[in-house]
Amino acid sequence: MLRETFDIQGMTCAACSARVQRAASDVPGVTEANVNLLKNSMELDFDGTDATAAAVVAAIEGAGYGALRRSAAGRGGASASAPAPGELARKAADEKLRQLVVSLAFSVPLFYVAMGPMFGWPEVPGLDGMGNMMAAALTQLLLCVPILLVNRHYFVTGFKTLWHRAPNMDSLIALGSAASFAYSVVSLYRMAWAFGAMDMTAAHEAMHGLYLDSAGMILALIDLGKYFEARAKGKTTDAIAALMDLAPKTATVVRDGVEVSVPTEDVRAGERVIVRAGESVPVDGVVLEGTASIDESAITGEAVPVEKGAGDLVTAATVSGRGWIAVEATAVGEDTTLAGIIRLVDEATSSKAPIERMADKIAGVFVPVVMAIAAVAFVAWMAISADFATALNHAISILVISCPCALGLATPTAIMVGTGRGAANGVLIKSAEALETACSVNYVVLDKTGTVTAGRPRVTDVELAAGVSQAELVRVAAALERKSEHPLAEAVCAYADEVCPGVDADACVEGFEQVAGGGLAGTVDGRRVLAGNARLMEKNGVCLGAFAQRADALAAEAKTPLFFAVGGRVLGLVTVADPVKPTSAEAVSRLRALGAKTLLLTGDARLTAEAVARKVGVDEVVAGVLPSQKELRVRELQRAGHRVAMVGDGINDAPALARADVGIAIGAGTDVAIGSADVVLMRSDPADVALAMELSHATMRNIRQNLFWALFYNSICIPVAAGVLVPWGITLNPMIGAAAMGFSSVFVVGNALRLRTWKPSERKGRGATPAAAPAVTVTETGAEAGTEAATQPEGRTTMEKKLNVEGMMCQHCVAHVKGALEGVDGVTEAVVDLEAGTAVAKCAGDVADEALVAAVKQAGYEASIA
């Protein structure tokens, strides 16, 4: 099955898109067709054969429209060969402006000549008085014809679709204007015959049958509305256009030892790319050398720049604020993160929300129903008044005041703007259906590691058995853990490299195995070694003694205890902690405010999970679950009647993400998790879950407003045009109806554009400094006696020095002060508080106060020791 994009020509309203979609869907081999009126495109799921594609094009042409199959480059989303959305919108607006200028140039004098005498305006010499009636009538005819010619596309498309029994908005306009013009031509002949018979009274009566001003003004006023509509529609594509504009046009590449500037599309994977201060990163890649402060707000929406050095990943379209880096290109062109984001946003705006399908059904029958109402009104007024002109006036008013456009634009415009606002805030929404569903979520399931917590565990405590040295435990632990790719293993190895570099370099490891739900096992230097939880130790007959009690106490602090044993004897206990993200508690609070319950779902131990749950305030905890059980838990909640959102980042979360009503993947997670999700959080910030739901609420509120207006407008205006208020002296001129029709669409698009000003609720955690890494404490525990020895810290002493900092105004200032302090030799970390105007420097050893103050002043701020 293949998805491909087709450009559709000739669509003007929801009836058009409904007709095209029906024609394409009826072709054998087509699974699904989604037509987007706003973008004049169609996303087609079909068997991929050229014969089916050709049949689809033929079916659409048979329905009275044009279809053009995009190149194969566009099959994944936004075609490389497709024009930029902003360019298409600009061309459409320019074309409408040209039509409007010509229409107004002729319709204004036409209106003056026709209606001036009624308003008492000065009459044009030669066209005044009874004797010049014929000259005035011929002048109106000459002024009307150019208006009809410049707007001939309404007649061509309108009558063509009418011939194919698929009338659209153009059909209503064409019928209304053509009927006015035809009746006026008949009246002209009546005037000529009356003049020939020298019957001035009959000629004057015939002149009252001229509707040339209506025929012309209908088109001119619709052109005015269409011009404003085209301009407004162009603004709805600003999000995609802005994303496309982010990509730099050139890149500096090292070839044959020389730096050369080449077009970005010519950069090849593996090449060395140079990025200087003020330049945009042209490709996705890894930093080979140098350092830089990278502004990633274009991709993640986060305003605080990120420091990048050797080994760090950089993303295309991010901007280097300062520094110099050499980057090895790993993804170029259509493979970059930016290109993927553009495809996701484009696909989301091309999809249909369930609420839009209702509007499509209404639109599919709207125009024929309006034509039937106009016909009934004509017959009724002929019967009531026996006046052909009155009956025609009401019929034309009905045709030109009804607006199927408003129905067709109500949903796609809001979705286009809403998904664009999401992308600008680091939230990628893959489909319109996900955007709609998110507002009805009442249960949010949160994975723990990497979602609620940072996902980067660190060793916090080391407990040694009696007679065991730290070096001995570290050697055994590092040798075995290096064979594993588990995050806990990475934490143990990182600790080993820090306290005893190279301690396990010559260790011989054999028979390595991973024990499901337990840990690791293997032979190190000829001795059987176990590493893992208490279940693994007990299963292998290892007596834990006092370590078991200590492990429970540490687990209650949200720490994960790992036991290490050699030859059936416990060597010690290493505790690993994964710090909770600064915004996790805020995320849960905001979700609760939105009416959603929260569930922490993790494979970790219950004590650890409950400790994390207490910190963030979730409503429910389910611990010790396998990946399949996560999916089962989501299914159980759905069976209980809940709308469930699943938030996760790992491969083990993919089944649950796919099962949930809305799957939300943390952007820093695995490709599998992101591929299974409906929403991707580029900032990897759990608070953005609430942001996505808030955006969904705002977008759906806007869609409902648009649909209400479209239905309310037509349900009120059509009866008024039909003459139901005539007994009370209220009637409707066709020109007023034409103006109302045009501006009804403008109102809908304008209302959707209000979403461009939408902002998420205030985030207290934005820019918060992550919690400091815990200092490692090494103690000796008597495994046999069950007593704990005095704490004996090893390594360097950590000191904290607090400074008062003046001049900080934003998170960029915070980043500058933090970077300046951490650049001082001996400072391991700096924690900066913008609101308090303070900075705390954590120093490994003695660091002079003067050095800290000088570093802050050099960054451009005033500082003093608190």
Side-chain angles (χ1 to χ4, degrees), residues 473-678:
L473 174 61
V474 168
R475 173 184 171 82
V476 170
L480 192 61
E481 297 285 2
R482 287 202 198 279
K483 297 291 184 179
S484 172
E485 296 180 352
H486 195 280
L488 297 181
E490 293 179 8
V492 172
C493 294
Y495 174 72
D497 293 338
E498 181 181 347
V499 298
C500 300
V503 68
D504 63 319
D506 59 345
C508 177
V509 181
E510 298 175 337
F512 173 81
E513 64 174 313
Q514 300 193 55
V515 181
L520 308 174
T523 302
V524 178
D525 295 335
R527 297 186 297 171
R528 179 68 173 172
V529 176
L530 298 173
N533 57 27
R535 289 196 302 270
L536 178 67
M537 299 298 152
E538 292 169 3
K539 184 178 179 181
N540 287 272
V542 178
C543 178
L544 297 178
F547 284 114
Q549 189 175 0
R550 280 292 298 148
D552 289 342
L554 291 167
E557 300 173 11
K559 298 177 180 180
T560 302
L562 300 174
F563 300 98
F564 292 88
V566 175
R569 174 175 174 264
V570 66
L571 289 184
L573 169 68
V574 175
T575 306
V576 179
D578 184 7
V580 172
K581 290 181 179 178
T583 56
S584 292
E586 177 200 344
V588 172
S589 176
R590 288 172 63 187
L591 288 171
R592 187 175 290 114
L594 290 170
K597 287 188 174 182
T598 51
L599 166 66
L600 186 66
L601 193 62
T602 177
D604 213 336
R606 170 162 287 279
L607 284 175
T608 303
E610 288 178 345
V612 172
R614 284 193 296 273
K615 287 184 178 181
V616 299
V618 295
D619 298 305
E620 187 180 350
V621 181
V622 176
V625 295
L626 299 174
S628 59
Q629 293 173 318
K630 287 187 177 183
E631 187 269 345
L632 179 61
R633 182 62 180 174
V634 170
R635 192 186 307 179
E636 289 173 351
L637 289 171
Q638 290 173 326
R639 287 174 178 169
H642 296 293
R643 279 294 186 97
V644 183
M646 171 70 196
V647 188
D649 74 322
I651 293 175
N652 61 343
D653 299 318
L657 288 170
R659 167 62 61 181
D661 295 290
V662 180
I664 303 176
I666 293 293
T670 65
D671 290 341
V672 175
I674 293 173
S676 303
D678 303 301

Side-chain angles (χ1 to χ4, degrees), residues 324-573:
W324 174 97
I325 51 175
V327 178
E328 179 184 350
T330 57
V332 298
E334 293 297 310
D335 297 325
T336 62
T337 300
L338 176 64
I341 292 173
I342 293 172
R343 280 195 296 272
L344 281 177
V345 175
D346 189 55
E347 288 172 2
T349 56
S350 297
S351 61
K352 287 185 183 290
I355 195 171
E356 187 174 0
R357 298 190 182 104
M358 177 194 72
D360 286 347
K361 290 179 180 178
I362 297 173
V365 298
F366 183 87
V367 175
V369 168
V370 168
M371 293 173 66
I373 293 173
V376 170
F378 179 83
V379 173
W381 278 105
M382 282 295 293
I384 294 170
S385 66
D387 182 7
F388 185 86
T390 300
L392 182 64
N393 185 78
H394 285 293
I396 292 172
S397 295
I398 292 170
L399 292 173
V400 298
I401 203 171
S402 57
C403 189
C405 287
L407 275 173
L409 294 172
T411 303
T413 49
I415 287 173
M416 176 87 67
V417 180
T419 51
R421 290 302 300 155
N425 283 275
V427 177
L428 300 183
I429 300 167
K430 292 186 178 182
S431 69
E433 185 171 359
L435 185 62
E436 178 178 338
T437 305
C439 73
S440 61
V441 166
N442 57 16
Y443 226 106
V444 179
V445 178
L446 300 161
D447 173 51
K448 182 179 79 68
T449 305
T451 301
V452 173
T453 62
R456 293 183 295 275
R458 294 177 60 95
V459 172
T460 59
D461 301 89
V462 176
E463 307 262 346
L464 303 174
V468 177
S469 68
Q470 183 183 13
E472 181 182 358
L473 174 61
V474 168
R475 173 184 171 82
V476 170
L480 192 61
E481 297 285 2
R482 287 202 198 279
K483 297 291 184 179
S484 172
E485 296 180 352
H486 195 280
L488 297 181
E490 293 179 8
V492 172
C493 294
Y495 174 72
D497 293 338
E498 181 181 347
V499 298
C500 300
V503 68
D504 63 319
D506 59 345
C508 177
V509 181
E510 298 175 337
F512 173 81
E513 64 174 313
Q514 300 193 55
V515 181
L520 308 174
T523 302
V524 178
D525 295 335
R527 297 186 297 171
R528 179 68 173 172
V529 176
L530 298 173
N533 57 27
R535 289 196 302 270
L536 178 67
M537 299 298 152
E538 292 169 3
K539 184 178 179 181
N540 287 272
V542 178
C543 178
L544 297 178
F547 284 114
Q549 189 175 0
R550 280 292 298 148
D552 289 342
L554 291 167
E557 300 173 11
K559 298 177 180 180
T560 302
L562 300 174
F563 300 98
F564 292 88
V566 175
R569 174 175 174 264
V570 66
L571 289 184
L573 169 68

